[in-house]
Amino acid sequence: IAGLLVGAASGWRAITSGMGGESYSGWYGSTVTGSANAGPWLRARVAVAGLLALTRDQAIYFTRKTDDSGERFRADCRYRVSGGPLPGQWWSVTVYAADNFLPLNDDDALSFDATEVRPDAQGQWSGGLAPTRPEGEAWASTRNAGNFDITLRIYQPTPQAQADFASIPMPRVSKIDCGGKA
């Protein structure tokens, strides 16, 4: 019985801890998510997290829990997500609360996407993650999210992006301030 309990506990920890996959500039992704090649631990992690993954030619997924300085995301802080053109037909950034579900708030802004940002002449864009809506910027609400994660989805990625995640110019995530203090 003790062995069964230890085995069950260690299996649960393997499924629920860590991000899974490899790190790409702070974003974690697995080349086998949504693939028949996914092993039993990844499939279990996907099942527990509730991610209904599309196949890699339809979408690729990246998740992160920390800003560029390595600090855990917190709902009382404001962050800027910024980057350039991403190798796909469309992309989105979504906030997930610590329980892997969307935060319980009525802000109607749990993600922002490629249609909401305003790229400059070089294709550089930015969006905000914050508990309140910033003025004139794409925004995803972190209100009631606790220590949250964000997920980047790139839909209909290029063959190069599908084959080599390291070739993707990943967005940066910088902390602006917390509780109104820099």
Side-chain angles (χ1 to χ4, degrees):
I1 293 176
L4 202 57
L5 291 175
V6 169
S10 67
W12 184 252
R13 180 169 165 76
I15 293 167
T16 60
S17 68
M19 299 295 290
E22 300 290 323
S23 176
Y24 303 93
S25 301
W27 295 86
Y28 287 82
S30 171
T31 57
V32 295
T33 298
S35 151
N37 297 329
W41 292 115
L42 178 61
R43 288 177 187 219
R45 183 177 285 130
V46 167
V48 168
L51 172 68
L52 299 174
L54 297 171
T55 60
R56 193 171 19 173
D57 64 321
Q58 295 172 319
I60 50 180
Y61 305 85
F62 301 92
T63 300
R64 74 184 291 168
K65 294 177 179 277
T66 61
D67 62 25
D68 287 344
S69 67
E71 292 184 39
R72 185 77 170 93
F73 291 136
R74 297 178 9 211
D76 66 325
C77 298
R78 296 183 312 144
Y79 302 90
R80 175 156 292 109
V81 181
S82 58
L86 291 167
Q89 294 297 311
W90 188 73
W91 57 264
S92 67
V93 173
T94 305
V95 172
Y96 288 94
D99 63 1
N100 292 322
F101 290 97
L102 297 170
L104 296 176
N105 66 48
D106 57 0
D107 294 332
D108 196 29
L110 299 173
S111 68
F112 63 85
D113 63 50
T115 66
E116 297 174 80
V117 298
R118 296 185 203 140
D120 64 17
Q122 290 76 41
Q124 298 297 305
W125 55 266
S126 70
L129 305 172
T132 58
R133 183 181 298 276
E135 195 63 36
E137 183 174 49
W139 170 61
S141 174
T142 61
R143 190 166 60 86
N144 299 332
N147 290 338
F148 63 91
D149 304 346
I150 56 176
T151 296
L152 168 67
R153 291 175 180 84
I154 302 174
Y155 292 92
Q156 295 180 335
T158 63
Q160 172 67 26
Q162 292 175 51
D164 181 14
F165 286 2
S167 72
I168 300 171
M170 301 305 283
R172 295 166 306 285
V173 185
S174 54
K175 181 169 45 177
I176 299 169
D177 62 24
C178 293
K181 299 177 184 171

